[in-house]
Amino acid sequence: MGISNQTVQDKTSFKSELFQVLRLNVQTYTILLALIGIWAIFFFTTKGTYLAPQNISNLFRQMSVTAFLAAGMVLVIVTGNIDLSVGKLAGFVSVVAAYLQANFWYKYLPDQPLLSAVLTVIASLLVGSLFGAIQGYIISFLRVPSFIVTLGGQWLLTGLILLVTAGKTIPANQPWFSDIAQGYVPVTWGWIFCIVAIAFLFWNMFRSRQNKRKHGFELQNIYIDLLAVVFAAVVILVYVYNVNSYKGIQNPVLLLAITAMIMIYVSNNTRFGRYSYAIGGNRDAARLSGISISGMVFKIFVLMGFLSGVGGVVLASYVGYGTTAAGAGYELDAIAACILGGTSTLGGIGTIQGAMIGALIIASLSTGLQMMNVAPAWQYVLKAIVLVLAVLADVYFKKNR
């Protein structure tokens, strides 16, 4: 009888905790339902073509640049800052990469395309990181508002793009370099990476629980954590099965998955990540507790510059050219992806996972509307409505939490 009563109590406790988790994370689950709803609508309106393996493959490839930028933008917004230059920084890096490939490395190393591509990537990442460091220094140590600094950075980069390209298109379709965003992972390796990703999810969940227990935090029911991880694992399995029936996992998506896993770990399990949320949650309390706010903000903008460099390399490889319009509008898509994914405009709240979902929603809307031949003007209108609704939801849920 005692065992039966204990079982009933456990079930009641599980249901109670599950309901509480759903209530506290209702915004996240609403976004997931919105994504499923968008896919369902486009599936029926395109008579199934929308969810065909080839289109899913292209969809995830198209979201990769925005997602790279959004991964860094989460921490920028979480600390109460903004970066309006990331789109043009990615565009400038793409132009630099194309220029190096076409006019420097590939010219002097014509018989070593792999080395040429590697050197181009390294130089491009350094350019992105350096620009992020310059902006971060001005924002964090010279105390100039991030809005002003990054807006000026956007204008500066627009001019630099025009100077480097001289108004012309620069080819970036050399061997090896073009494979960065246009290539595919062999099917066997795709399944191996799938298993590794799922193993990481379980490991990260158990490690997070261990850290919370170590520091005396209250743990929620383990079955709730397992339920969330199993759901994510099923999504990964379905995705890998789908794209493997076409050509395999796209190289930029694999690179994005690795980046996302690293950023998730950093944001949840390191001092760097926790300090970022502490600064956004209560800047004065963070300062009084000994956190170097200036140093943290500087590092976050360097990281943002690095991820913009990654996005720029992928952009140049995917498009195959460095153009005068490179990177236009990506900063707005990255910010929108973060907000759609639950990152609060008031700071202190946001997740990398949510930003990835937000980037996928934006790409899903764009792809679906294009497949339905919706006029570009109405595409912007619909995106604007979705973004405003997301901000209203953010304010509502934070007020009623």
Side-chain angles (χ1 to χ4, degrees):
M1 188 69 176
I3 296 176
S4 178
N5 288 337
Q6 183 64 42
T7 302
V8 172
Q9 291 176 2
D10 290 342
K11 289 182 178 180
T12 303
S13 175
F14 172 74
K15 291 179 180 179
S16 176
E17 287 191 38
L18 181 60
F19 176 77
Q20 185 177 7
V21 169
L22 291 174
R23 182 177 63 83
L24 292 175
N25 297 279
V26 63
Q27 185 178 3
T28 301
Y29 299 121
T30 301
I31 294 300
L32 282 172
L33 290 175
L35 176 61
I36 294 173
I38 290 170
W39 283 4
I41 291 172
F42 287 135
F43 175 80
F44 288 110
T45 54
T46 60
K47 299 180 180 179
T49 306
Y50 185 78
L51 293 181
Q54 182 177 357
N55 193 60
I56 290 294
S57 178
N58 292 332
L59 173 63
F60 277 83
R61 191 198 303 273
Q62 290 170 7
M63 70 163 274
S64 59
V65 175
T66 299
F68 280 118
L69 302 181
M73 189 66 74
V74 169
L75 295 183
V76 172
I77 297 177
V78 158
T79 55
N81 292 288
I82 197 69
D83 193 340
L84 300 176
S85 67
V86 293
K88 282 300 179 181
L89 180 53
F92 177 65
V93 169
S94 73
V95 166
V96 169
Y99 182 87
L100 290 174
Q101 277 290 98
N103 300 307
F104 196 72
W105 301 124
Y106 197 65
K107 180 182 292 185
Y108 293 103
L109 300 169
D111 299 326
Q112 301 183 57
L114 176 58
L115 178 59
S116 170
V118 171
L119 292 174
T120 298
V121 170
I122 293 174
S124 300
L125 297 180
L126 288 175
V127 168
S129 300
L130 177 61
F131 195 86
I134 294 172
Q135 290 195 138
Y137 180 82
I138 297 173
I139 293 166
S140 58
F141 295 108
L142 300 184
R143 307 298 175 86
V144 182
S146 59
F147 179 89
I148 300 300
V149 174
T150 58
L151 179 60
Q154 183 188 74
W155 292 346
L156 173 63
L157 290 164
T158 300
L160 292 176
I161 289 174
L162 293 174
L163 288 173
V164 173
T165 60
K168 302 176 182 178
T169 298
I170 306 174
N173 53 1
Q174 293 79 6
W176 287 99
F177 185 79
S178 60
D179 288 337
I180 294 174
Q182 297 182 28
Y184 295 86
V185 178
V187 172
T188 302
W189 279 101
W191 284 116
I192 292 174
F193 288 125
C194 172
I195 295 171
V196 170
I198 293 174
F200 168 80
L201 291 176
F202 280 97
W203 173 81
N204 188 60
M205 184 269 289
F206 284 114
R207 180 179 174 82
S208 179
R209 291 181 63 87
Q210 183 181 15
N211 287 337
K212 289 180 180 179
R213 185 182 296 109
K214 179 180 178 181
H215 293 93
F217 291 102
E218 184 179 355
L219 295 175
Q220 67 182 14
N221 193 304
I222 190 172
Y223 294 110
I224 296 176
D225 286 339
L226 286 173
L227 188 63
V229 174
V230 168
F231 174 79
V234 170
V235 171
I236 293 173
L237 283 170
V238 171
Y239 164 75
V240 174
Y241 174 80
N242 194 294
V243 295
N244 274 349
S245 63
Y246 176 55
K247 290 184 179 180
I249 300 175
Q250 312 88 321
N251 287 343
V253 175
L254 175 61
L255 183 59
L256 175 62
I258 295 172
T259 301
M261 287 191 291
I262 293 173
M263 290 296 294
I264 289 171
Y265 176 81
V266 168
S267 62
N268 293 334
N269 298 287
T270 67
R271 289 184 180 181
F272 180 83
R274 302 324 303 167
Y275 285 177
S276 301
Y277 287 94
I279 292 171
N282 192 322
R283 184 174 287 258
D284 290 334
R287 177 178 55 81
L288 293 173
S289 66
I291 297 175
S292 174
I293 295 178
S294 296
M296 282 297 304
V297 172
F298 174 76
K299 292 175 184 177
I300 287 171
F301 273 92
V302 173
L303 176 61
M304 184 72 258
F306 175 82
L307 290 174
S308 297
V310 176
V313 170
V314 172
L315 178 61
S317 176
Y318 176 58
V319 176
Y321 297 94
T323 68
T324 55
Y330 276 107
E331 68 282 347
L332 300 180
D333 284 347
I335 294 171
C338 294
I339 295 173
L340 284 172
T343 301
S344 175
T345 54
L346 304 176
I349 298 174
T351 64
I352 305 300
Q353 303 95 306
M356 297 300 102
I357 296 173
L360 185 55
I361 287 178
I362 292 174
S364 299
L365 279 172
S366 298
T367 301
L369 293 172
Q370 289 170 7
M371 291 180 68
M372 293 176 62
N373 294 320
V374 175
W378 286 107
Q379 292 184 34
Y380 283 112
V381 169
L382 291 173
K383 285 183 180 180
I385 293 173
V386 170
L387 179 59
V388 172
L389 289 176
V391 174
L392 290 174
D394 169 56
V395 174
Y396 174 80
F397 288 127
K398 190 162 187 177
K399 186 183 297 182
N400 293 276
R401 182 164 293 167

